[in-house]
Amino acid sequence: MLLQTFYRAINILKLEKNTYKEISKDKSSFLGSAIVILFAGLVNVYLFKLFIQPTLPNAVPLAPILFMWVFFNWYVFSNVMLIIAKTFTNANARTKNLKDKKIALSLVGFSNTAEIFKILIIFLPNLIVIISWSVLMLVIASQVAGVKQIYNFDKISTAVAVVILSYIAQFFIIGLLVLILVKLAH
């Protein structure tokens, strides 16, 4: 299974045409996506520890940071994307993939494969902005390819809209949660 996860992750990075369709048909792909998203989360938390934590006045425990990164980037984002994808399909064209949350989790988990490349920031800290933006663009491209393949959209523009609206919705969800937590703290 680990070897299959590795090959799928490489195919996702190469934007191979039918990789997401293969993932959507394989029930074990959920575990592979969990491995990818956890590894990507560990890379991001290590970068947080290396670059952000030293600038903070108090130490922040890293386990909650990892949990929150995985929770928002995997669970919340996949559910938001699934809801938005459903709104873009007509009632006659609904596929079984729109009813399976594990497929959405697999899509988002594998699409975050590029996040692992952020490890390059450790060796090339002067290129932090370029590496971060490049990784983000590759993640978005992977998500667009996955949405188009898994949810059978005819147009790439529809898949782009689903992904962009998902990011906007997640931004508002996180903002709302922060606002609620700030209000509760006072």
Side-chain angles (χ1 to χ4, degrees):
M1 184 188 112
L2 285 176
L3 197 55
Q4 184 180 36
T5 298
F6 177 76
Y7 285 128
R8 285 180 175 163
I10 295 297
N11 286 338
I12 293 298
L13 290 172
K14 296 188 312 185
L15 300 173
E16 288 286 328
K17 186 175 180 182
N18 293 318
T19 304
Y20 280 108
K21 284 187 180 186
E22 174 190 330
I23 288 169
S24 70
K25 293 176 184 172
D26 182 7
K27 298 295 180 195
S28 70
S29 67
F30 172 76
L31 293 174
S33 74
I35 291 168
V36 170
I37 199 79
L38 285 173
F39 195 57
L42 288 170
V43 168
N44 279 285
V45 167
Y46 182 73
L47 291 172
F48 173 85
K49 178 184 176 190
L50 198 63
F51 293 105
I52 310 243
Q53 183 119 358
T55 66
L56 298 176
N58 298 322
V60 177
L62 297 179
I65 300 290
L66 176 64
F67 173 78
M68 292 197 39
W69 191 93
V70 170
F71 178 73
F72 283 106
N73 284 295
W74 192 34
Y75 182 77
V76 173
F77 190 75
S78 63
N79 282 300
V80 167
M81 186 181 285
L82 183 60
I83 291 166
I84 292 174
K86 286 179 183 179
T87 64
F88 274 80
T89 59
N90 62 33
N92 299 332
R94 291 198 187 267
T95 67
K96 68 177 179 89
N97 292 344
L98 287 167
K99 296 176 184 150
D100 192 343
K101 287 186 179 185
K102 280 190 173 180
I103 291 173
L105 286 164
S106 295
L107 182 162
V108 172
F110 274 105
S111 72
N112 276 281
T113 300
E115 287 282 336
I116 297 167
F117 282 126
K118 283 185 177 177
I119 200 84
L120 294 172
I121 293 170
I122 295 168
F123 307 107
L124 303 165
N126 293 337
L127 300 177
I128 190 168
V129 173
I130 293 170
I131 293 169
S132 296
W133 278 104
S134 299
V135 165
L136 177 62
M137 293 301 111
L138 193 51
V139 168
I140 290 172
S142 300
Q143 290 168 343
V144 168
V147 165
K148 184 171 182 339
Q149 287 178 29
I150 289 177
Y151 300 126
N152 299 320
F153 289 122
D154 293 331
K155 298 178 188 174
I156 195 82
S157 59
T158 307
V160 169
V162 167
V163 172
I164 290 173
L165 288 173
S166 298
Y167 275 103
I168 292 169
Q170 183 175 7
F171 174 77
F172 282 113
I173 290 169
I174 292 171
L176 184 63
L177 286 174
V178 168
L179 186 63
I180 290 170
L181 290 174
V182 167
K183 291 286 185 183
L184 289 175
H186 291 296

